């Protein structure tokens, strides 16, 4: 038997299978982009919602490894805690079974026969790709072409290994794997760890099953091993991450190991004691899908009530506690870039968090000129340093995101976000300026006159309200609040002219201290510019929701 004639078509088929799976997943992800963004909001919900989220995202991107890598990224960025991560990890194991059902559909849906349907799907996808001008057409084309290539790949693998039916040595290998659970589990784990895709590993097993080479018991143990092998990607991804991110990867490994141990014991009892004859029968592709799905759902249902214990065990083994969050650290992680639509939504959340920090600064700036408290002055300076770090980090991340394959609309959204980051950062600068003005008043032991204080408070109210409306407009995508900002900004412009004129008259009439008067005028300039930047944010919102 010429094994080279088997290996080359098999490897080529595997490559086509993986490539087809990737471009189909990319098309699905792009088509579901907005929905995937909204799925991110589920992260704030309970663990059960996390399971559903993990299953949904994995079903779209067709890779539990990719989902878990994203989870490690979320935990490392501080967006997700370990309890939420546990739910998503459990769901990812369920969502990854989708590919197996696509492959096995050639058995339970005869009209999907790859020999006839796959070439038609590829040709149809290419026609749509060449003739379609809309973005949605390109996404549909990717899904259809990927679907066709996936089936061509699995057909190529199955045809390549068909001659091995005559090889007693190859058959004996699978018999050995079926008789020795540990070897079967190790074989599944090793192959999956090497190719770093449980979906592709299951596809390989199904191609061997199509050739009638895999006994039932061997398939069971190999499938369990595949679930362990798929953890290698997240573990490698967690290297260099924070301790609690490494804990998330360890949770994934523990979850799959515990599930494998439980169901291996059940399988051993069944095949060795209750029904020994069941293990020697040849498994079909559909039966592999059933076993794979039952195993992952069963493990999730069984371990869901005790998932908090798994978290504790992972933390104990890793000797870590969840890190305290430094608010100046950008809560974005390069691992999330694997799914650009979610990375974009994470960036939106981070810009909003930066905006809330500046809102808190403005609340302090509103009173610091009158109280002159040193702790408030120092707070504003520290917050400005925090905002500078966030601005730089968000900008760097957005640039990385813009270099990926994202839609024109997402490029526009990124451009709006970058402009908003710049405006928010400038407002923070003005808050620091106000703290310096307060410092000047304190050092020179001067204060505003009663009428000056009253007028300044009026200006503060208008300008700070304009920013708060702008932030709410951004967070809620509200046209009404964005238009309210424009009203406030116009009011601030008029008020600044009026108050400046009145103040100059008071200075001329010696009705207020000259040094305090200079601070008054400088503060008016800062506040008017704050309202200008708030208007810029509002206009970005109006453009993005148009």
């Amino acid at each position: 038997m010429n094994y080279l004639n088997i290996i080359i078509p098999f490897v080529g088929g595997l490559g086509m299978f993986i490539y087809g799976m990737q471009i189909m997943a990319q098309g699905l992800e792009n088509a579901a982009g907005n929905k995937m963004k909204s799925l991110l909001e589920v992260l704030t919900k309970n663990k059960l919602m996390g399971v559903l989220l993990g299953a949904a995202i994995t079903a779209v991107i067709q890779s539990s490894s990719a989902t878990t890598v994203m989870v490690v990224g979320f935990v490392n960025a501080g967006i997700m805690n370990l309890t939420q991560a546990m739910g998503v990890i459990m769901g990812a194991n369920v969502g990854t079974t989708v590919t197996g059902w696509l492959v096995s559909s050639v058995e339970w849906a005869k009209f999907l026969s790859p020999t006839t349907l796959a070439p038609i799907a590829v040709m149809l996808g290419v026609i749509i790709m060449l003739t379609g001008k809309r973005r949605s057409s390109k996404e549909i084309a990717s899904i259809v072409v990927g679907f066709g290539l996936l089936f061509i790949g699995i057909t190529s693998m199955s045809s390549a290994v068909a001659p091995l039916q005559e090889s007693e040595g190859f058959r004996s290998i699978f018999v050995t794997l079926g008789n020795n659970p540990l070897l079967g589990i190790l074989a599944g784990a090793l192959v999956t760890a090497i190719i770093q895709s449980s979906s592709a590993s299951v596809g390989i097993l199904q191609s061997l099953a199509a050739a009638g080479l895999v006994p039932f018991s061997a398939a069971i143990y190999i499938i369990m091993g595949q679930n362990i092998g798929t953890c290698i990607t997240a573990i490698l991804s967690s290297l260099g991450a924070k301790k609690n991110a490494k804990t998330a990867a360890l949770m994934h490994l523990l979850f799959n190991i515990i599930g494998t141990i439980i169901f291996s014991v059940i399988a051993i009892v069944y095949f060795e004691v209750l029904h020994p004859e069941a293990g020697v029968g040849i498994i079909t592709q559909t039966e592999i899908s059933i076993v794979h799905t039952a195993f992952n759902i069963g493990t999730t249902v069984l371990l869901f009530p005790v998932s908090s214990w798994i978290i504790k065990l992972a933390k104990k083994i890793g000797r870590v506690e969840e890190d305290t969050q430094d608010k100046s650290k950008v809560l974005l992680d390069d691992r999330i870039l694997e799914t650009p639509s979610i990375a974009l939504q994470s960036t939106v959340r981070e810009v909003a968090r930066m905006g809330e920090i500046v809102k808190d600064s403005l609340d302090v700036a509103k009173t610091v000129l009158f109280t002159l408290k040193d702790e408030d002055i120092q707070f504003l300076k520290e917050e400005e340093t925090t905002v500078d770090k966030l601005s730089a980090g968000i900008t760097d991340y957005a640039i990385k995101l813009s270099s990926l394959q994202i839609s024109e609309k997402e490029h526009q959204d990124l451009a709006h976000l970058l402009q908003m980051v710049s405006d928010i950062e400038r407002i923070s600068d003005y808050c620091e300026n106000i703290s310096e003005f307060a410092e000047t008043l304190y050092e020179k032991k001067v204060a505003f006159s009663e009428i000056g204080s009253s007028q300044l408070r009026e200006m503060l109210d208008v300008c700070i309200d304009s920013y708060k409306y702008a932030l709410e407009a951004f967070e809620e995508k509200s046209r009404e609040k964005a238009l309210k900002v424009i009203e406030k900004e116009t009011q601030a412009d008029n008020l600044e002219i009026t108050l400046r004129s009145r103040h100059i008259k008071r200075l001329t009439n010696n009705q207020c201290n000259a040094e305090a008067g200079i601070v008054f005028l400088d503060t008016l300039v800062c506040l008017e510019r704050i309202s200008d930047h708030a208007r810029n944010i509002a206009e970005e919102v109006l453009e993005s929701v148009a």
Side-chain angles (χ1 to χ4, degrees), residues 6-24 145-146 148-158 160 195 197 200-201 203-204 207:
I6 294 173
I7 293 171
I8 292 175
F10 181 83
V11 171
L14 176 60
M16 196 173 295
F17 177 86
I18 294 173
Y19 179 65
M21 188 169 63
Q22 285 184 340
I23 65 171
M24 182 169 68
V145 170
L149 290 178
L150 184 149
F151 276 112
I152 292 173
I154 201 73
T155 302
S156 179
M157 286 194 289
S158 300
I195 62 177
S197 172
S201 183
I204 292 172
S207 69

Side-chain angles (χ1 to χ4, degrees), residues 31-226:
N34 290 330
K35 292 180 180 178
M36 289 184 72
K37 291 176 189 177
S38 63
L39 282 174
L40 191 62
E41 300 302 321
V42 179
L43 294 177
T44 59
K45 307 299 181 182
N46 58 36
K47 201 188 314 178
L48 178 59
M49 296 303 290
V51 173
L52 298 176
L53 172 68
I57 290 178
T58 307
V60 170
I61 65 178
Q62 296 187 42
S63 173
S64 59
S65 297
T67 302
T68 311
V69 166
M70 269 198 295
V71 167
V72 171
F74 281 133
V75 173
N76 193 51
I79 297 173
M80 186 188 291
N81 61 40
L82 292 177
T83 301
Q84 293 167 328
M86 189 74 240
V88 178
I89 286 168
M90 289 188 287
N93 277 17
V94 176
T96 195
T97 61
V98 170
T99 307
W101 282 107
L102 282 175
V103 172
S104 65
S105 64
V106 298
E107 290 183 345
W108 49 267
K110 297 298 183 183
F111 64 90
L112 293 176
S113 172
T115 53
T116 55
L117 188 61
I120 294 172
V122 172
M123 192 62 220
L124 180 62
V126 169
I127 291 171
I128 296 172
M129 193 176 294
L130 294 175
T131 59
K133 295 181 180 179
R134 298 176 61 184
R135 176 174 171 249
S136 57
S137 299
K138 303 293 184 184
E139 291 160 0
I140 293 169
S142 294
I143 296 168
V144 175
V145 170
F147 184 77
L149 290 178
L150 184 149
F151 276 112
I152 292 173
I154 201 73
T155 302
S156 179
M157 286 194 289
S158 300
S159 300
V161 299
L164 294 175
Q165 289 176 310
E166 311 301 324
S167 172
E168 288 300 323
F170 200 80
R171 283 178 171 276
S172 65
I173 291 174
F174 279 100
V175 171
T176 302
L177 294 177
N179 292 333
N180 191 320
L182 183 58
L183 284 178
I185 292 169
L186 287 174
L190 183 62
V191 171
T192 307
I194 291 171
I195 62 177
Q196 295 191 33
S197 172
S198 61
S199 295
S201 183
V202 171
I204 292 172
L205 185 64
Q206 287 178 306
S207 69
L208 294 169
L213 294 168
V214 187
F216 213 99
S217 57
I220 299 290
Y221 301 130
I222 290 171
I223 288 169
M224 293 180 189
Q226 288 167 338

Side-chain angles (χ1 to χ4, degrees), residues 424-478:
I424 293 171
E425 194 275 330
R426 291 296 295 130
I427 291 171
S428 179
D429 287 342
Y430 290 124
C431 288
E432 184 182 35
N433 290 346
I434 290 171
S435 76
E436 291 168 353
F437 299 155
E439 210 166 24
T440 299
L441 292 173
Y442 179 79
E443 289 172 356
K444 295 187 176 182
K445 301 188 185 317
V446 295
F448 301 124
S449 64
E450 185 176 339
I451 188 169
S453 296
S454 174
Q455 291 177 349
L456 199 56
R457 282 191 171 95
E458 183 182 3
M459 185 70 172
L460 280 160
D461 285 340
V462 172
C463 295
I464 292 174
D465 282 349
S466 71
Y467 174 75
K468 289 182 177 179
Y469 278 123
L471 187 59
E472 289 172 6
F474 166 60
E475 292 174 342
E476 300 169 15
K477 294 182 175 58
S478 169

Side-chain angles (χ1 to χ4, degrees), residues 13 81 101 213 315 335 365 403 414 432 455 476 494 508 519:
N81 61 40
W101 282 107
L213 294 168
K315 291 167 80 172
R335 297 167 184 82
S403 67
L414 269 178
E432 184 182 35
Q455 291 177 349
E476 300 169 15
N494 295 332
T508 303
V519 172

Side-chain angles (χ1 to χ4, degrees), residues 320-332:
V320 297
E321 295 294 332
E322 290 199 56
D323 299 341
T324 55
Q325 187 61 56
D326 174 9
K327 68 178 180 179
S328 69
K329 179 175 174 57
V330 180
L331 305 185
L332 297 167

